[in-house]
């Protein structure tokens, strides 16, 4: 009798960061989970792969995000990289009390009432982009869904909130594509050079825009944050103001872009659900939640134990880094029966895709709303929507997604094929 022995956790993590592992990490997440929900990898490193363990790690206040102090220990030369400096000046990589102060100032932009008030604008933006797709693909030519819709909608929404002029949004996609490499945990200078250049460009842009809003305030988030900074210099430093604006831009559309891409790819893979989505308003929210669960736009984050922590019965020594694999937790069979099956009718989903606890993503309600409105309208407008060639994927582990997703839009509803007039 042969007994199957799961590979050692350290071997699994090594495979996970390889190109093959990044392309399909889910078997490796399962292999890690075979060792338990919170897995010791080596001294100083553990991996949370169970749903309960990931959820608890995100909510445990003694598990801290990597901030300037921990960067000093892990990456002695990190301050030479503007991409790392920029994000470390934001709520993403700060702990209380600085994190609490900054988050309080920013949270007013994402209240339920304010997000709900954006719905008519999101519908208008969605319909304009669908019109554009119809023009581009009207002769049967392939249309890149990522470039023409999945990127343009969220950047327009977050751009409108921030107060970024429409004409300035064109170059943001490439800049954010480069700058978010810094979120992958890469420390080699060669890997961070494009991210540093992109951070410098974005910081210069927002510094200039801040100056214009000081001279002439508008009804936008940048003006509100500038006012908060200028009324009390201790509330926001200049570097924090710029760092958080870059973060809001990057997080505000990068994750939503890939949520939309994953949602469409799952529609192609599951036409029975795609057929129902345009006609069943109650299904839309469940479809988005199940998309977030089975194909999250962010796969991982990390925490460092500021002191010894008992995490659901497992001792985490002080100084230990805990890799929180959100995508693994989302497919924990202890929490989700048949976890690899896509089921938008699945009850009580509650994916971990936007985090939890003090660092729960501020823009999560906005991303959910955009996808909930856009995907049904897309499928209703183009019932003949179909893949057109092989999609290309980003070579990322933390924030994976599609670089290109070519589609053909088909004929609009009610329009007969050429040479086959309606009888």
């Amino acid at each position: 009798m042969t007994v199957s022995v799961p590979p050692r956790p350290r071997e699994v993590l090594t495979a996970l960061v390889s190109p093959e592992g990044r392309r399909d990490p889910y078997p490796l997440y399962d292999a890690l989970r075979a060792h338990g929900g919170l897995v010791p990898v080596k001294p100083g490193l553990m991996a949370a792969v169970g749903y309960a363990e990931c959820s608890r790690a995100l909510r445990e206040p003694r598990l801290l995000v990597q901030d300037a102090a921990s960067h000093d220990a892990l990456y002695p030369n990190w301050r030479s990289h503007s991409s790392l400096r920029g994000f470390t000046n934001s709520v993403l990589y700060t702990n209380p009390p600085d994190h609490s102060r900054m988050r309080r100032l920013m949270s007013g932009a994402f209240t339920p009432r304010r997000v709900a008030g954006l719905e008519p604008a999101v519908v208008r933006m969605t319909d304009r982009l669908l019109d554009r797709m119809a023009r581009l693909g009207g002769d049967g030519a392939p249309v890149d869904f990522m470039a023409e819709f999945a990127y343009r909608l969220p950047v327009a929404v977050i751009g409108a909130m921030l107060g970024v002029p429409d004409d300035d949004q064109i170059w943001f996609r490439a800049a954010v594509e480069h700058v978010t490499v810094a979120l992958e945990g890469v420390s080699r200078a060669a890997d961070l050079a494009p991210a540093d250049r992109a951070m410098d460009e974005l910081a210069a842009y927002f510094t200039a825009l801040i100056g214009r809003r000081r001279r002439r305030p508008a009804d936008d988030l940048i003006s509100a944050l500038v006012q908060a900074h200028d009324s009390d210099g201790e509330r926001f430093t200049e570097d924090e103001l710029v760092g958080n604006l870059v973060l809001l831009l990057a997080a505000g559309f990068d994750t939503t872009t890939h949520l939309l891409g994953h949602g469409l790819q799952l529609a192609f893979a599951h036409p029975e659900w795609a057929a129902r989505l345009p006609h069943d308003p109650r299904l839309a929210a469940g479809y988005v939640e199940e998309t977030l669960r089975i194909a999250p736009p962010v796969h991982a984050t990390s925490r460092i134990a500021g002191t010894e922590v008992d995490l659901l019965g497992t001792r985490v020594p002080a100084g230990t880094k805990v890799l929180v694999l959100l995508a693994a937790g989302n497919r924990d069979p202890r929490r989700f029966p048949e976890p690899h099956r896509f089921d938008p009718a699945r009850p009580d989903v509650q994916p971990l895709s936007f985090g939890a606890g003090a660092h729960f993503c501020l823009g999560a309600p906005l991303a959910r709303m955009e996808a909930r409105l856009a995907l049904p309208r897309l499928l209703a407008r183009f019932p003949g929507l179909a893949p057109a060639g092989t999609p290309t994927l980003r070579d990322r582990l933390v924030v994976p997604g599609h670089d290109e997703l070519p589609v053909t839009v088909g004929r609009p509803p009610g329009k007969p094929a050429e040479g086959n007039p309606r009888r």
Side-chain angles (χ1 to χ4, degrees), residues 10-269:
R10 196 163 183 173
E11 296 170 347
V12 178
L13 277 190
T14 299
L16 192 59
V17 298
S18 69
E20 296 79 10
R22 290 193 295 268
R23 278 196 294 272
D24 184 14
Y26 292 101
L28 298 171
Y29 295 152
D30 290 342
L32 271 177
R33 202 184 304 104
H35 294 274
L38 181 61
V39 182
V41 178
K42 62 181 181 179
L45 178 63
M46 305 179 82
V49 289
Y51 182 92
E53 290 78 8
C54 288
S55 180
R56 185 72 194 101
L58 294 170
R59 291 174 167 85
E60 172 53 62
R62 292 170 294 177
L63 292 180
L64 309 174
V65 300
Q66 292 182 205
D67 58 9
S70 58
H71 281 340
D72 285 338
L74 293 171
Y75 312 121
N77 297 320
W78 73 273
R79 294 177 193 274
S80 65
H81 296 290
S82 57
S83 56
L84 296 178
R85 290 198 313 272
F87 285 126
T88 306
N89 285 321
S90 74
V91 289
L92 186 64
Y93 289 144
T94 51
N95 291 294
D98 288 335
H99 174 268
S100 307
R101 167 178 53 83
M102 286 190 278
R103 188 177 177 98
R104 206 163 41 241
L105 291 168
M106 298 164 64
S107 60
F110 298 97
T111 62
R113 177 178 293 181
R114 187 158 191 171
V115 170
L118 288 169
E119 288 199 13
V122 171
V123 168
R124 289 194 299 272
M125 293 176 187
T126 296
D127 289 344
R128 283 202 300 268
L129 291 174
L130 296 179
D131 289 343
R132 176 182 170 85
M133 287 183 64
R135 291 194 299 273
L136 292 173
D139 60 354
V143 178
D144 179 9
F145 174 75
M146 301 307 295
E148 301 302 338
F149 188 91
Y151 158 70
R152 290 174 181 266
L153 176 63
V155 79
V157 173
I158 195 64
M161 290 185 69
L162 289 173
V164 172
D166 292 348
D167 292 344
D168 291 347
Q169 297 170 9
I170 302 301
W171 61 277
F172 282 161
R173 184 183 184 188
V176 170
E177 180 76 14
H178 289 310
V179 81
T180 52
V181 171
L183 306 180
E184 294 283 317
V186 178
S187 58
R188 291 181 302 165
D191 294 321
L192 287 177
D196 292 340
R197 288 193 294 271
M199 180 64 78
D200 292 342
E201 291 173 359
L202 290 167
Y205 175 82
F206 279 116
T207 298
L209 189 54
I210 287 166
R212 293 202 294 273
R213 290 296 184 268
R214 281 200 173 103
R215 295 189 295 272
R216 185 175 295 177
D219 182 21
D220 56 41
L221 182 55
I222 291 179
S223 297
L225 295 178
V226 167
Q227 185 178 11
H229 169 272
D230 292 350
S231 64
D232 182 352
E234 292 303 310
R235 299 184 74 186
F236 259 131
T237 68
E238 197 76 17
D239 287 341
E240 288 171 349
L241 182 56
V242 173
N244 280 299
L245 289 174
V246 173
L247 175 66
L248 285 171
L249 174 68
F253 81 82
D254 196 46
T255 53
T256 311
T257 291
H258 297 295
L259 168 59
L260 292 169
H262 294 321
L264 180 56
Q265 191 76 336
L266 285 164
F268 289 151

